[in-house]
Amino acid sequence: MNSAYVFSWCIVGLAAMASATSEGEAEPTCFSRFDYDYKMLQKLVSLEQTIQNLKDSLAESKNKIEDMSREYELTTKNLQDLLSQTKENIESGSVYIRWGRNECQDNAEIVYKGFTAGKKWNDGGSGGDTICLPEDPSWLNYSTINSPRGTVYGTEINIEEPSGVFEKKVLDQNLPCVACHVKKSSVIMIPGRGHCYTNWNLEYNGYLMADKHSHPTPHNHVCVDHHPDFMQGGGKNNDDHILYLTISKCGSLPCPPYANDRELACVVCSK
């Protein structure tokens, strides 16, 4: 290396030493151009590594943000679907008949009040189901021509008193009914139980009733409230559409869990 070149860098080093000494710093040593270039190269390499680390960190953060964004969108969609389904269930709801009562539970609204009715017990025809006729009928066309028709009668309970089942005397009493709307997606009547299963809500409970087993034609089972209301002016033995308690019979029906000649309970549950 040229001696003049080295000497000039020593002069630079001595000038830097004088400046550092005036500021109370350690005295620098004389260095060559090679030392200077090497140190600068080290700094550049360190700076480049720092920049690369920042780029890697930014890329990682970007990926995390994108993952969080996708997760947020999925969660939002699931919540919107759940909200929509819940709203649909609440707005639609379900309807059931509460047999033997004039009022619905507090959690349900009345669709209409009415009278329990059906075919006469010894008629071979007409409908076989028990129906809830509204107390405020409206008519379309009607005729007084005497031609074959089905018939429908009001309903009364036939049971020996004291029954030991109902809390009050019910013999020959005419039964009301009420249609109830509940803001639940499902409603079920469970025969043979007086209580709902877990996670189901009680609407009402009572006793399973139908026609007498020896009558010529049947009608369907209904769940009559355990504490029934009665229609005003009822109590006469008209022997029209009659409901009887239903009992279990052992044999093909396993006993236990069932018992012979025991009145079956029933419950209406919603969810």
Side-chain angles (χ1 to χ4, degrees), residues 112-181:
Y112 70 91
K113 297 181 181 181
F115 313 121
T116 305
K119 63 179 291 181
K120 193 175 180 69
W121 68 271
N122 57 354
D123 281 349
S126 297
D129 54 337
T130 300
I131 58 178
C132 184
L133 290 175
E135 62 182 12
D136 55 346
S138 61
W139 311 95
L140 299 177
N141 295 333
Y142 60 93
S143 172
T144 57
I145 298 174
N146 187 15
S147 61
R149 289 169 168 80
T151 55
V152 63
Y153 296 83
T155 303
E156 61 187 43
I157 291 179
N158 195 327
I159 185 172
E160 294 184 5
E161 299 287 7
S163 67
V165 177
F166 288 97
E167 299 175 357
K168 54 186 176 182
K169 292 182 179 181
V170 297
L171 178 63
D172 294 331
Q173 293 292 337
N174 296 57
L175 286 180
C177 56
V178 59
C180 303
H181 175 261

Side-chain angles (χ1 to χ4, degrees), residues 202-217:
L202 173 68
E203 295 299 323
Y204 77 94
N205 57 12
Y207 299 99
L208 194 67
M209 304 192 77
D211 199 1
K212 188 177 180 179
H213 70 94
S214 59
H215 283 178
T217 56

Side-chain angles (χ1 to χ4, degrees), residues 13-261:
L14 290 174
M17 178 182 67
S19 175
T21 303
S22 63
E23 296 176 2
E25 297 179 356
E27 293 182 359
T29 57
C30 184
F31 53 90
S32 67
R33 177 59 183 266
F34 175 82
D35 293 331
Y36 177 83
D37 290 343
Y38 180 77
K39 291 183 181 294
M40 291 299 294
L41 181 61
Q42 284 183 317
K43 290 183 179 181
L44 288 173
V45 170
S46 176
L47 181 60
E48 185 177 1
Q49 184 62 47
T50 300
I51 293 173
Q52 185 60 47
N53 291 341
L54 288 173
K55 288 182 178 180
D56 294 342
S57 179
L58 287 173
E60 183 179 357
S61 298
K62 181 181 178 182
N63 292 336
K64 288 182 178 179
I65 291 173
E66 290 176 350
D67 292 341
M68 290 174 65
S69 178
R70 285 191 292 268
E71 184 177 355
Y72 172 79
E73 291 176 355
L74 180 61
T75 302
T76 301
K77 184 179 183 303
N78 291 338
L79 288 175
Q80 288 175 341
D81 292 344
L82 180 61
L83 179 61
S84 177
Q85 182 180 357
T86 302
K87 182 179 180 181
E88 181 180 351
N89 290 341
I90 291 176
E91 289 179 347
S92 58
S94 302
V95 176
Y96 65 89
I97 303 297
R98 190 176 188 183
W99 302 102
R101 290 297 293 268
N102 288 312
E103 300 291 338
C104 301
Q105 294 281 79
D106 293 339
N107 65 319
E109 63 176 345
I110 295 175
V111 180
Y112 70 91
K113 297 181 181 181
F115 313 121
T116 305
K119 63 179 291 181
K120 193 175 180 69
W121 68 271
N122 57 354
D123 281 349
S126 297
D129 54 337
T130 300
I131 58 178
C132 184
L133 290 175
E135 62 182 12
D136 55 346
S138 61
W139 311 95
L140 299 177
N141 295 333
Y142 60 93
S143 172
T144 57
I145 298 174
N146 187 15
S147 61
R149 289 169 168 80
T151 55
V152 63
Y153 296 83
T155 303
E156 61 187 43
I157 291 179
N158 195 327
I159 185 172
E160 294 184 5
E161 299 287 7
S163 67
V165 177
F166 288 97
E167 299 175 357
K168 54 186 176 182
K169 292 182 179 181
V170 297
L171 178 63
D172 294 331
Q173 293 292 337
N174 296 57
L175 286 180
C177 56
V178 59
C180 303
H181 175 261
V182 62
K183 293 180 179 179
K184 302 290 183 180
S185 60
S186 301
V187 172
I188 184 173
M189 189 277 280
I190 306 175
R193 280 190 64 87
H195 305 87
C196 295
Y197 289 104
T198 303
N199 297 327
W200 285 79
N201 306 298
L202 173 68
E203 295 299 323
Y204 77 94
N205 57 12
Y207 299 99
L208 194 67
M209 304 192 77
D211 199 1
K212 188 177 180 179
H213 70 94
S214 59
H215 283 178
T217 56
H219 48 257
N220 65 312
H221 296 91
V222 294
C223 185
V224 177
D225 196 282
H226 75 288
H227 191 71
D229 298 323
F230 303 133
M231 289 167 50
Q232 188 174 1
K236 297 179 182 179
N237 183 18
N238 295 311
D239 277 344
D240 290 328
H241 185 70
I242 309 172
L243 290 178
Y244 296 81
L245 290 167
T246 302
I247 58 175
S248 54
K249 286 291 186 179
C250 296
S252 296
L253 186 67
C255 298
Y258 288 89
N260 204 45
D261 295 336

